[in-house]
Amino acid sequence: MHGLAAHWSGPDMSFNIVDFLFSLVQLTTFDYLRAVWEGDMSPGLIEAILDVIAILTVSTFLLLIVLFLIWLERKVIARIQDRIGPNRVGGRFGLLQTVADVLKLLTKETLTPAGADTIAYNLAPLLTVMTALLMWAVIPFAPNVIGVDLNVGLFYVLAVSSASVVTLLLAGWGSNNKYALLGAFRSVAQLVSYEVPMVLSLIIPILLARSMYMQELVLAQTVPFLIVAPLSAIIFFISALAETGRTPFDLLEAESEIVAGFHVEYGGMKFGMFFLAEFVSTLFMSGLFATIYLGGWRLFGLERLETFGPLLGLIVFFIKMFAVYFVFIWVRGTLPRVRIDQMLDLNWKFLVPLSLILVLVVAVVDKLIPAGAGDYYRAGVHLVSNVAVGFVALELLRRHAARQRAIYEERLVRAHSSAAEPEVMAEAAH
Amino acid sequence: MIQQIIFIVISFLTLLMGWIVVTNRNLFHAALALMGSFLGVAGLYVLLDAGFLAAAQLLVYIGAISILIIFAIMMTRRLMQTSETPFNNQWVLGGITSLVVFAVIAYVVLQVFPWQPGAQPFGAAPEVPGAVLEASVTQLGAALVSVDQYVLPFEVASVLLLAALIGAIVVAWPEKKE
């Protein structure tokens, strides 16, 4: 976390509680502590201590906010389904319901199934949570608050999220259960497939911002990329739904239909870890969407205020992130689960070609725009080209669907006219 | 100093994992160790300030190749109950090959950085200006499509990958019924 260091410069600074609280409000605590400790410790040691503090703060916050996320999800889903949801534990709103659930998970016995591969079985839940937390290192929370502003920021996110696939295989294999292994294969197939449109759709913000630094991606959004490249945002959102395994793509878990997939043999807090990682990564996807498509901590220059700018930026970022998270819950409460063939068809026959063409179109259009053009002019041209590509794609999809429907209807008619032949009926029904 | 210690630890872990890969009888554990070894190499890239290479290593080797290997192991019948010993009489040839490869690499490295004992204190890393590091990804991207540099190898690799892709589709294409 860097920036604003000059504010706290000065020799022989001693710790002062008022200044410390002020620095907390300004989100420059680290610069303040650096200035205070400067004479007493070596710079390397100071940076090491500050890094540990930063990592502990962010991870603890994320692990704790999952309690709230689960409560929020249950409450919102309940409202969508015309129920009340949790309402007993912890007052009228059931605020402490998840605390009780977590205590239950923590006090359960941790079993290891007979014949399990203990290394893989016990490593999987730990690695899942680790990879979910690792990705937060590059999320810019505020103008001056980011873990590390890597020169490959967005690429780092993709790399870590692709490495997280390994943990599913560990869990599936380690459990020594054929259903767990099958579930792991299905999960890996889904995650690896949907990584393709996700990577392709994320190329577009990189193209538009000319950078993979997360902070520069935010700074480039004078017009949010949701408006500049709406099609890319939609593709990313759909792939994010699939990557986090949420409805309508939760057929890997499908708790109402099959056993729970790769974590069927896990119980107690070991199962809780998978649950935890799922919520942390869903929140991460919301944060990433807010950063890349909604302008992150930006809100009409509000974040440039002298004293409270960074804090306002932080609040703006959180509001945007939770708005996206709400849409995730909303989708879950509204859409039915898709079939496996529909899921794969949507990916390979629609999203992948569409995002490939979109990358080409955006790259060419961006080159055609004269160099001196203003941000709004550029945004308008990109918006028009995006919408045009989207309409063409939908029209092609509609024609394909109409053709398919005609084929099926013809079969049905044939089946009715010759009802004596059972094979034709069976074929038509299929 | 700290960098040097981290380097030694990471190198040791990478080599240890590599040793486990070739000696472990359990193929699944060997594949996991291979992943650990890849991760160690990614760590070495990070120490060299080659962030792009580190991320690419993670994405390609751990996220794709290792998963492919694990899939292959899991889908091959009776591969787990292998009774062969991990060592056979080809170890002499293997040893000679690895020595030759090591000699070639050492020769190339020594051409660029001549051996000067005591020229640099233990743990000292050469200073690289921040501007160079920040522009490295841009330069890499430009070099890959620049006519003067690597556009030909890049295109050849792309065509090769495309051919493999089309080949996979042809192999998986369902045969037409009579």
Side-chain angles (χ1 to χ4, degrees):
Chain A
M1 309 198 178
H2 48 78
L4 299 179
H7 191 85
W8 304 107
S9 63
D12 291 335
M13 275 192 57
S14 54
F15 190 79
N16 175 336
I17 190 74
V18 178
D19 276 352
F20 177 72
L21 291 176
F22 186 63
S23 78
L24 274 184
V25 173
Q26 278 200 313
L27 303 182
T28 54
T29 314
F30 277 25
D31 295 321
Y32 176 70
L33 288 178
R34 251 178 226 134
V36 169
W37 291 339
E38 206 177 354
D40 308 332
M41 284 182 260
S42 72
L45 185 63
I46 294 179
E47 291 307 315
I49 293 175
L50 290 181
D51 283 349
V52 170
I53 295 176
I55 293 167
L56 285 181
T57 314
V58 174
S59 335
T60 314
F61 169 76
L62 286 172
L63 295 180
L64 285 179
I65 204 167
V66 169
L67 291 177
F68 170 72
L69 292 179
I70 296 173
W71 174 83
L72 185 76
E73 179 133 359
R74 292 180 65 176
K75 209 70 182 167
V76 173
I77 291 278
R79 285 299 177 187
I80 290 173
Q81 297 169 344
D82 208 8
R83 294 182 286 119
I84 297 174
N87 59 357
R88 297 295 155 92
V89 188
R92 264 191 73 191
F93 302 108
L95 269 170
L96 296 181
Q97 179 68 48
T98 14
V99 178
D101 288 344
V102 169
L103 284 177
K104 184 203 77 175
L105 283 178
L106 280 172
T107 51
K108 276 174 115 173
E109 185 185 359
T110 52
L111 282 170
T112 304
D117 187 334
T118 37
I119 297 175
Y121 181 80
N122 290 316
L123 207 59
L126 287 177
L127 285 181
T128 314
V129 176
M130 263 170 66
T131 47
L133 289 176
L134 264 177
M135 290 192 278
W136 286 87
V138 293
I139 286 285
F141 290 98
N144 55 350
V145 181
I146 179 167
V148 271
D149 205 1
L150 291 176
N151 59 357
V152 288
L154 209 48
F155 194 51
Y156 165 86
V157 169
L158 296 172
V160 174
S161 92
S162 83
S164 71
V165 173
V166 174
T167 60
L168 304 181
L169 283 174
L170 281 184
W173 180 264
S175 303
N176 190 26
N177 175 323
K178 59 185 160 209
Y179 298 108
L181 190 58
L182 282 174
F185 278 152
R186 283 157 56 104
S187 301
V188 170
Q190 172 173 342
L191 295 192
V192 170
S193 312
Y194 273 87
E195 229 161 58
V196 180
M198 180 174 234
V199 171
L200 288 172
S201 67
L202 285 181
I203 286 177
I204 289 160
I206 295 174
L207 263 176
L208 294 171
R210 305 269 198 288
S211 175
M212 287 198 279
Y213 284 97
M214 296 301 261
Q215 289 286 31
E216 279 183 28
L217 277 166
V218 174
L219 288 172
Q221 295 180 61
T222 318
V223 185
F225 286 160
L226 178 67
I227 298 169
V228 183
L231 205 52
S232 148
I234 293 170
I235 296 172
F236 173 76
F237 187 77
I238 296 174
S239 336
L241 278 175
E243 283 282 304
T244 48
R246 293 176 63 88
T247 327
F249 301 106
D250 69 338
L251 62 163
L252 310 167
E253 250 182 84
E255 59 262 11
S256 50
E257 291 168 27
I258 56 172
V259 294
F262 66 91
H263 54 59
V264 61
E265 287 287 354
Y266 285 87
M269 204 51 210
K270 283 183 195 168
F271 162 74
M273 301 276 261
F274 285 111
F275 208 59
L276 190 71
E278 191 188 317
F279 275 88
V280 171
S281 47
T282 308
L283 188 68
F284 172 79
M285 286 298 172
S286 321
L288 192 64
F289 191 93
T291 307
I292 294 176
Y293 292 108
L294 301 180
W297 36 260
R298 289 177 71 137
L299 188 76
F300 306 116
L302 202 64
E303 72 287 344
R304 267 180 257 138
L305 287 176
E306 190 65 38
T307 312
F308 293 105
L311 189 64
L312 280 174
L314 186 74
I315 294 169
V316 166
F317 172 74
F318 267 79
I319 291 173
K320 284 176 178 174
M321 180 166 76
F322 275 99
V324 181
Y325 191 78
F326 181 79
V327 179
F328 269 100
I329 303 178
W330 190 6
V331 168
R332 181 178 166 185
T334 319
L335 292 180
R337 194 175 289 143
V338 297
R339 278 199 324 257
I340 182 107
D341 58 321
Q342 293 168 335
M343 186 191 82
L344 292 174
D345 277 359
L346 175 71
N347 181 41
W348 291 112
K349 296 183 185 166
F350 184 61
L351 289 181
V352 172
L354 178 62
S355 47
L356 265 175
I357 291 167
L358 191 65
V359 169
L360 287 179
V361 168
V362 169
V364 171
V365 166
D366 205 62
K367 272 288 168 200
L368 290 179
I369 295 172
D375 284 334
Y376 292 98
Y377 176 72
R378 251 185 91 197
V381 175
H382 277 301
L383 177 63
V384 170
S385 70
N386 255 265
V387 171
V389 172
F391 265 111
V392 170
L394 281 182
E395 179 60 25
L396 287 177
L397 204 62
R398 196 188 61 77
R399 286 193 186 165
H400 177 74
R403 257 200 319 276
Q404 290 288 324
R405 204 177 300 126
I407 293 172
Y408 281 121
E409 273 169 8
E410 194 192 337
R411 271 194 204 161
L412 268 182
V413 170
R414 257 198 298 147
H416 277 296
S417 62
S418 57
E421 294 174 53
E423 316 101 60
V424 185
M425 279 293 270
E427 194 191 333
H430 182 69
Chain B
M1 185 68 200
I2 294 176
Q3 268 208 341
Q4 201 76 356
I5 294 170
I6 296 174
F7 171 75
I8 291 170
V9 170
I10 290 181
S11 320
F12 176 73
L13 282 178
T14 310
L15 292 177
L16 181 74
M17 289 295 172
W19 176 252
I20 294 175
V21 173
V22 288
T23 53
N24 202 311
R25 297 286 291 279
N26 185 331
L27 273 180
F28 184 67
H29 287 174
L32 290 186
L34 186 65
M35 251 179 244
S37 183
F38 286 152
L39 196 66
V41 176
L44 291 180
Y45 285 141
V46 171
L47 275 182
L48 291 170
D49 284 319
F52 185 83
L53 278 184
Q57 170 88 5
L58 208 60
L59 189 74
V60 175
Y61 282 91
I62 296 183
I65 291 183
S66 300
I67 296 206
L68 209 64
I69 291 176
I70 291 187
F71 261 68
I73 291 174
M74 287 178 175
M75 291 186 167
T76 311
R77 246 193 241 179
R78 294 210 190 82
L79 200 60
M80 295 303 293
Q81 294 111 29
T82 172
S83 56
E84 288 162 31
T85 58
F87 295 97
N88 58 21
N89 50 16
Q90 283 185 334
W91 68 270
V92 182
L93 264 176
I96 291 170
T97 314
S98 43
L99 272 180
V100 168
V101 170
F102 179 78
V104 169
I105 292 174
Y107 176 74
V108 172
V109 169
L110 286 177
Q111 288 288 307
V112 184
F113 302 101
W115 178 258
Q116 296 165 308
Q120 278 197 335
F122 179 74
E127 282 296 316
V128 183
V132 172
L133 292 179
E134 274 177 32
S136 61
V137 179
T138 323
Q139 280 175 358
L140 179 70
L144 281 181
V145 290
S146 152
V147 184
D148 305 326
Q149 284 168 294
Y150 303 110
V151 72
L152 191 66
F154 181 71
E155 289 298 325
V156 169
S158 311
V159 171
L160 185 69
L161 287 175
L162 186 66
L165 206 66
I166 294 172
I169 292 173
V170 169
V171 169
W173 200 267
E175 283 176 39
K176 283 234 172 83
K177 284 177 203 162
E178 289 302 308

